[in-house]
Amino acid sequence: MFGKSLRRPIWTGSEDDIEAKAITESNVQVGPEQGHGVVQIVDSHEENDLSRSLSQRHIQMIALAGAIDSLSALYNLHSGKYQHYSPSPDPFFVRHAELLVDPSLGFAIGWNVVYGTYLSVPSEISAAVVLIEFWTDKYAALWITLFIIVAFLVGIIVVRVYGEVEFFFATLKILLVAGITIMGLVIDLGGVPGQQRIGFRYWNNPGPFVEYLASGSWGSFLGFWAVMNNAVYSFAGVESLSVAAAETKNPRQNIPKACKRVFARVSVMYILSVLIVGMLVPSNDPSLDDESGTAAQSPFVTAAARAGISVVLSIINAVVLTSAWSAANQSLLAGTRILYGLAIKKQAPKIFLRTTKWGIPFVCVILQTLVATLAYMGLSNGALTVFYWLLDLTACGTLISWSVILFNHIRLHQALKKQGISSQELPWSNWWTPYSSRVALVACIMFLLTGGFSVFVEGNWDTATFISSYLDIPIVIIAYVGWKLFKKTKILSLDDIPIQNALKKIREKLEERISLARGWQRLNILWG
């Protein structure tokens, strides 16, 4: 079971022999050695040891559900643009940071993502326990144990099981968004007996903004900015779509399709849901001060309860519970595959290269499961307190990762221009993304530097908040500088970025073309 590949045994010699063989068998070797070995686009371990079991419907629904959680379809467009031509178990930006910027940046951001994803699993388990407290506050330790066991089983079994689980959860989330949007519209238009039509009255009185830490327009702005910063956590996790590329059938076709199609679909759902939720409940409604962490604090629930539709509370809480479970699964998949990718590049211990006969890096899964036991801290400190603590730590790492993604994309287009290669030669390109990447990079840096802005308001200093908001910044800088000094790497010149080698790989290894939808399948707007 353990230590074998489905197609060939991988532990037939010493670890040093195996690693040397992996380098010589690599599909494409590109870039200068930079003091730590040749940078490779796709390694033989990735080609032979991981199982490509995720189909088009899996990857499309994972993308759609992840974007619904994060409301970040635009981000998907930026990231998917170049992951499809070098699918690997690293998240695209880790491998591409090496290929487009500096091998040391790939090391630093790789370990940063491992740190973030490993912490995300216990934070999501803590969130799940908070949601369960809506029904019962008993047996918290039992619930934590069950979630850890289930997450381990999903992570250790064939990746197709993960795909099916996420497909089911994605379907629930999409149905929930559609259902509460329709319900909210009916309530707002006075479609519930005994309820008056609400319309847009709350947009004028009291208005959309609530004061925070100050009064007047400045307090309203701080309230808006606090919400924007808190929303960062909800954006985390869509990277799992690209991490799964190495285990996806025909990734160069399915990844771009998933990224492109999700944009319009999520934009419609996002705009409608935000529009309607702003119509249902006034911004100063006392119910919005609910800090239980359950569905009780949802304005949709507040509106439904006042309309006499009490069952909505349990339904939303149940689906949000599956969402927390889904997020834990995605973090476990991402964390284990990233650590596996680092081990391939000798940036992590070799033991993490071990895989099961189904292509699962089981040592990575075991380690992440052990880290998940941090969720037990909630038994003494309160699950919600621990959740918010871990939330702050991972939010900072998310913004750093996104900044690297955008910088990679900018470097890609700079290299294309320098080498005289048209962006149209890429399998997928958009004329506007070079400009939007710059705007988004500035926005990410602004959010990163203001993540803990509340502690700088007079009389509001909190050491724990300051550390959790900014700790990740020096960690990444130290990792980058340390690896650079240790391996003596250099920032790649634009001429040395191996774009032609990547395009050559595409031409040499064509995928089987996916057949177009026919008949009734054309009516499938979700993953067809």
Side-chain angles (χ1 to χ4, degrees), residues 150-158 162 329 332 336-337 360-361 365:
V150 172
F152 170 77
L153 291 176
V154 172
I156 203 69
I157 303 175
V158 186
Y162 163 81
N329 289 340
L332 193 144
T336 54
R337 272 49 173 188
I360 304 297
V365 174

Side-chain angles (χ1 to χ4, degrees), residues 195-240:
Q195 296 289 315
Q196 293 183 345
R197 181 180 181 275
I198 301 174
F200 291 91
R201 69 177 68 173
Y202 298 137
W203 286 31
N204 296 318
N205 184 23
F209 298 104
V210 177
E211 296 178 353
Y212 176 64
L213 298 178
S215 58
S217 58
W218 177 241
S220 296
F221 172 76
L222 291 181
F224 162 76
W225 201 250
V227 172
M228 292 289 286
N229 274 285
N230 288 336
V232 168
Y233 180 76
S234 297
F235 280 71
V238 289
E239 301 92 331
S240 59

Side-chain angles (χ1 to χ4, degrees), residues 174-496:
I174 292 167
L175 292 176
L176 175 65
V177 171
I180 61 176
T181 299
I182 295 172
M183 178 199 70
L185 186 61
V186 171
I187 293 174
D188 183 79
L189 296 178
V192 178
Q195 296 289 315
Q196 293 183 345
R197 181 180 181 275
I198 301 174
F200 291 91
R201 69 177 68 173
Y202 298 137
W203 286 31
N204 296 318
N205 184 23
F209 298 104
V210 177
E211 296 178 353
Y212 176 64
L213 298 178
S215 58
S217 58
W218 177 241
S220 296
F221 172 76
L222 291 181
F224 162 76
W225 201 250
V227 172
M228 292 289 286
N229 274 285
N230 288 336
V232 168
Y233 180 76
S234 297
F235 280 71
V238 289
E239 301 92 331
S240 59
L241 169 62
S242 63
V243 175
E247 294 164 275
T248 301
K249 298 175 182 176
N250 302 315
R252 296 191 182 98
Q253 298 174 71
N254 282 325
I255 296 297
K257 284 183 179 180
C259 293
K260 289 188 289 186
R261 291 178 178 178
V262 77
F263 180 78
R265 297 164 186 169
V266 173
S267 295
V268 173
M269 286 188 284
Y270 171 48
I271 293 172
L272 282 177
S273 60
V274 170
L275 173 68
I276 293 173
V277 78
M279 297 161 58
L280 291 176
V281 179
S283 59
N284 61 353
D285 194 291
S287 66
L288 299 180
D289 293 330
D290 188 318
E291 296 183 355
S292 64
T294 68
Q297 65 186 106
S298 167
F300 279 110
V301 170
T302 298
R306 291 172 181 173
I309 315 175
S310 57
V311 69
V312 170
L313 180 54
S314 290
I315 294 175
I316 292 180
N317 201 72
V319 176
V320 173
L321 176 60
T322 67
S323 183
W325 184 4
S326 171
N329 289 340
Q330 291 183 9
S331 294
L332 193 144
L333 176 80
T336 54
R337 272 49 173 188
I338 298 163
L339 185 55
Y340 174 84
L342 290 172
I344 287 176
K345 297 174 292 185
K346 298 183 179 180
Q347 295 175 353
K350 302 172 189 177
I351 192 172
F352 295 118
L353 288 173
R354 292 180 178 270
T355 61
T356 68
K357 67 178 182 180
W358 303 296
I360 304 297
F362 71 92
V363 179
C364 299
V365 174
I366 292 173
L367 176 62
Q368 188 152 5
T369 303
L370 293 175
V371 175
T373 58
L374 288 174
Y376 286 111
M377 294 171 63
L379 298 178
S380 58
N381 298 317
L384 190 59
T385 300
V386 175
F387 172 64
Y388 282 139
W389 181 59
L390 295 176
L391 180 153
D392 288 339
L393 290 173
T394 56
C396 183
T398 297
L399 285 167
I400 292 175
S401 296
W402 292 346
S403 297
V404 172
I405 291 167
L406 295 163
F407 187 62
N408 286 346
H409 190 253
I410 293 170
R411 287 274 295 180
L412 172 65
H413 280 274
Q414 290 176 335
L416 287 171
K417 184 177 181 180
K418 178 73 173 180
Q419 297 178 25
I421 303 173
S422 171
S423 61
Q424 299 302 314
E425 292 189 38
L426 299 176
W428 178 26
S429 64
N430 298 292
W431 66 267
W432 47 269
T433 50
Y435 308 101
S436 58
S437 289
R438 288 169 168 79
V439 174
L441 178 58
V442 172
C444 281
I445 294 175
M446 287 176 58
F447 284 123
L448 179 63
L449 297 179
T450 61
F453 77 90
S454 62
V455 302
F456 300 110
V457 177
E458 186 177 356
N460 206 50
W461 173 262
D462 182 75
T463 303
T465 299
F466 175 80
I467 293 175
S468 64
S469 297
Y470 297 108
L471 176 64
D472 207 37
I473 298 176
I475 289 177
V476 173
I477 293 175
I478 292 172
Y480 173 75
V481 174
W483 192 255
K484 195 171 187 64
L485 293 175
F486 179 60
K487 290 295 185 179
K488 296 181 174 57
T489 66
K490 296 180 180 179
I491 296 176
L492 296 174
S493 69
L494 295 176
D495 289 319
D496 289 335

Side-chain angles (χ1 to χ4, degrees), residues 73-244:
L74 179 60
Y75 159 77
N76 271 334
L77 280 175
H78 281 285
S79 64
K81 183 172 179 181
Y82 45 94
Q83 171 64 5
H84 63 283
Y85 73 75
S86 64
S88 69
D90 291 353
F92 48 89
F93 54 92
V94 175
R95 186 67 53 90
H96 295 150
E98 295 187 1
L99 298 174
L100 298 170
V101 186
D102 185 344
S104 292
L105 182 60
F107 170 83
I109 199 64
W111 276 105
N112 180 65
V113 177
V114 169
Y115 151 79
T117 53
Y118 272 51
L119 281 182
S120 292
V121 176
S123 74
E124 294 296 348
I125 292 174
S126 297
V129 173
V130 171
L131 292 165
I132 290 176
E133 288 176 354
F134 168 75
W135 293 294
T136 177
D137 58 359
K138 297 180 179 179
Y139 313 118
L142 175 61
W143 295 120
I144 291 173
T145 303
L146 288 176
F147 279 119
I148 291 175
I149 292 174
V150 172
F152 170 77
L153 291 176
V154 172
I156 203 69
I157 303 175
V158 186
V159 72
R160 185 177 180 86
V161 173
Y162 163 81
E164 295 296 346
V165 170
E166 289 304 303
F167 182 86
F168 174 72
F169 287 160
T171 302
L172 290 180
K173 283 184 276 190
I174 292 167
L175 292 176
L176 175 65
V177 171
I180 61 176
T181 299
I182 295 172
M183 178 199 70
L185 186 61
V186 171
I187 293 174
D188 183 79
L189 296 178
V192 178
Q195 296 289 315
Q196 293 183 345
R197 181 180 181 275
I198 301 174
F200 291 91
R201 69 177 68 173
Y202 298 137
W203 286 31
N204 296 318
N205 184 23
F209 298 104
V210 177
E211 296 178 353
Y212 176 64
L213 298 178
S215 58
S217 58
W218 177 241
S220 296
F221 172 76
L222 291 181
F224 162 76
W225 201 250
V227 172
M228 292 289 286
N229 274 285
N230 288 336
V232 168
Y233 180 76
S234 297
F235 280 71
V238 289
E239 301 92 331
S240 59
L241 169 62
S242 63
V243 175

